[in-house]
Amino acid sequence: MGWWTLETGTALWVVIAAVAVAGIVRGFSGFGTAMIVVPIAAAAYSPQIAVVIVALIDTLPMVPLIAAAWPRADWRQLPPILAGYAIALPLGLWFLIAGDPTLLRWFMSVVIFIVVAVLWSGWYYTGPRNLPVRMAVGGMSGFLGGAASIAGPPVILYWMALRTGAGVVRANLIIFLAAAELFAIAGLYVSGLFTARSVSLGIACMPVYLLALFVGARLFGMASEAGYRRVALIIVACAALLALPALDGLRS
């Protein structure tokens, strides 16, 4: 099998549609890609392929953001969180590789529903911020990043309460997510999940995602940030609901 092997069919178009929606949502809200694409692509193909698709499409758009974020990031916060991420990532990848596909899809959907509920409620972490806590937050992100490509929520909830200004929090998230993507890609490659099929699907989805990001960014400013956040969370919840394994019989 060559390194460009892309089968066509309903599954491909469903995933491309999910990627397009995810790109628009990410463009105007700043989050949501993995939480929309992962459950849909896992139902259409497999959880392992879904994670590779997200890792590939979400890396390229991070590049131009890093230069602007680099000098604004709080470099006291990042190293222990990234260390915790790197330590726990292999455990998440093991869970992804060894887990039953149906169980993995249930896990991904349940995690997404929990994240949506927490983000919708407005809760964020206000406890201690010492080294063990930072490592633990990074570890949660590492496990979720490896198992479901959902690395962002733990650090978002941890950093949202910082009194360092929104610019610093955004810079922290950009640098963290960029580094997390590099760790994840390396882990996926070493784990043998970069197959001809998964890489071909990821590359095929890239142009759609980049165009959708542009469209979403153009929409930004036409409504309040809170309004965008609510819309994004509703779309994420709908994607997770539609991809539940319990609905496989209806879809077939």
Side-chain angles (χ1 to χ4, degrees):
M1 183 178 288
W3 272 101
W4 180 258
T5 303
L6 182 65
E7 73 273 26
T8 58
T10 303
L12 174 62
W13 294 112
V14 167
V15 171
I16 286 177
V19 167
V21 172
I24 293 172
V25 170
R26 174 70 179 272
F28 70 65
S29 71
F31 70 96
T33 298
M35 291 190 288
I36 293 172
V37 175
V38 163
I40 299 296
Y45 291 104
S46 73
Q48 293 80 8
I49 288 177
V51 170
V52 172
I53 290 173
V54 171
L56 290 176
I57 67 172
D58 215 19
T59 299
L60 190 60
M62 299 293 292
V63 175
L65 300 176
I66 295 172
W70 193 272
R72 303 196 66 181
D74 184 350
W75 290 98
R76 296 169 300 175
Q77 296 277 338
L78 282 163
I81 290 180
L82 285 171
Y85 178 93
I87 291 170
L89 177 64
L91 180 61
L93 289 171
W94 171 84
F95 185 75
L96 175 67
I97 295 168
D100 173 77
T102 301
L103 175 62
L104 284 169
R105 288 173 55 202
W106 275 112
F107 170 77
M108 291 170 171
S109 294
V110 169
V111 168
I112 291 169
F113 285 134
I114 292 172
V115 169
V116 168
V118 173
L119 291 175
W120 190 283
S121 72
W123 181 89
Y124 48 78
Y125 178 80
T126 56
R129 297 180 180 273
N130 50 36
L131 182 61
V133 170
R134 293 175 191 173
M135 293 281 290
V137 170
M140 290 175 60
S141 290
F143 178 78
L144 291 177
S149 198
I150 308 172
V155 293
I156 291 171
L157 296 172
Y158 177 75
W159 276 329
M160 283 297 289
L162 287 178
R163 300 189 179 187
T164 52
V168 174
V169 173
R170 183 175 182 272
N172 282 355
L173 287 171
I174 289 171
I175 299 298
F176 168 78
L177 291 173
E181 288 289 356
L182 292 178
F183 280 128
I185 287 173
L188 291 168
Y189 178 79
V190 171
S191 301
L193 294 178
F194 271 19
T195 64
R197 192 183 191 197
S198 62
V199 172
S200 298
L201 286 166
I203 292 173
C205 290
M206 279 182 181
V208 176
Y209 185 64
L210 292 174
L211 178 61
L213 278 175
F214 175 77
V215 173
R218 298 283 291 180
L219 292 174
F220 185 75
M222 297 182 182
S224 68
E225 184 175 343
Y228 280 133
R229 186 186 183 90
R230 300 292 188 189
V231 170
L233 291 174
I234 290 171
I235 293 172
V236 166
C238 287
L241 180 63
L242 290 173
L244 281 173
L247 300 181
D248 284 351
L250 295 177
R251 284 190 294 271
S252 61

